[in-house]
Amino acid sequence: MGTMKTIGTAALLLALSLPVFAETKCHMKFTLSGWSAFYKTASGTGTITCDNGQSARVNLSSKGGGITFGRSTIKDGLGTFTDVEGISELYGTYVQSEAHAGAGKSTKASAMTKGEVSLSLVGKGKGVDVGIAFGKFTIEKAGK
């Protein structure tokens, strides 16, 4: 019985010494504008804030191919990330899939993934925008 007690105590100490990673919810407010004739490109800025107190200003860029034509601006955009361990997991390139059609004011929605992190974007657009685009959306910490 002494051996079982020692193993149990060792397992408990090991479990207590392992770090516990708390996940946090992060959101991004952003503005994005661009032009496309065939390859849709856009750039913008945003601010990411997380429930754990982390925040950062970011630069955004989007590039993709598809049947698109138009000029657009997204203002008051909001991005919602899946829970992460920290803000550093959010930087990088997301694979984007987007469908939209509109003239004048329209609402855009996009869903993207980067490994295990997913990002959902919504925003109100101004301009002329027609088509379907598939591409990449990159988030970089401002000042790089």
Side-chain angles (χ1 to χ4, degrees):
M1 288 252 195
T3 304
M4 288 300 280
K5 187 175 183 181
T6 303
I7 292 172
T9 303
L12 178 62
L13 289 174
L14 178 62
L16 292 175
S17 66
L18 292 175
V20 175
F21 296 106
E23 299 222 326
T24 187
K25 184 58 114 180
C26 300
H27 300 277
M28 177 175 65
K29 292 183 179 179
F30 69 95
T31 299
L32 195 68
S33 62
W35 172 259
S36 67
F38 180 72
Y39 288 105
K40 184 173 187 170
T41 60
S43 61
T45 59
T47 303
I48 296 175
T49 55
C50 301
D51 291 346
N52 67 1
Q54 293 178 313
S55 67
R57 292 190 40 76
V58 293
N59 293 323
L60 309 171
S61 61
S62 174
K63 187 171 188 175
I67 303 168
T68 64
F69 181 81
R71 178 175 49 98
S72 63
T73 300
I74 300 174
K75 292 186 177 180
D76 300 322
L78 179 62
T80 303
F81 298 91
T82 52
D83 291 356
V84 293
E85 291 177 13
I87 198 168
S88 63
E89 289 184 57
L90 305 179
Y91 305 125
T93 299
Y94 293 76
V95 177
Q96 180 179 358
S97 172
E98 178 181 20
H100 61 272
K105 293 183 180 181
S106 62
T107 300
K108 297 183 171 223
S110 295
M112 293 163 251
T113 59
K114 178 183 76 79
E116 294 182 8
V117 180
S118 293
L119 169 60
S120 172
L121 296 177
V122 293
K124 294 181 180 174
K126 287 178 87 174
V128 176
D129 223 4
V130 179
I132 298 172
F134 300 95
K136 295 180 180 180
F137 185 81
T138 302
I139 300 174
E140 297 178 325
K141 192 169 184 177
K144 279 192 159 190

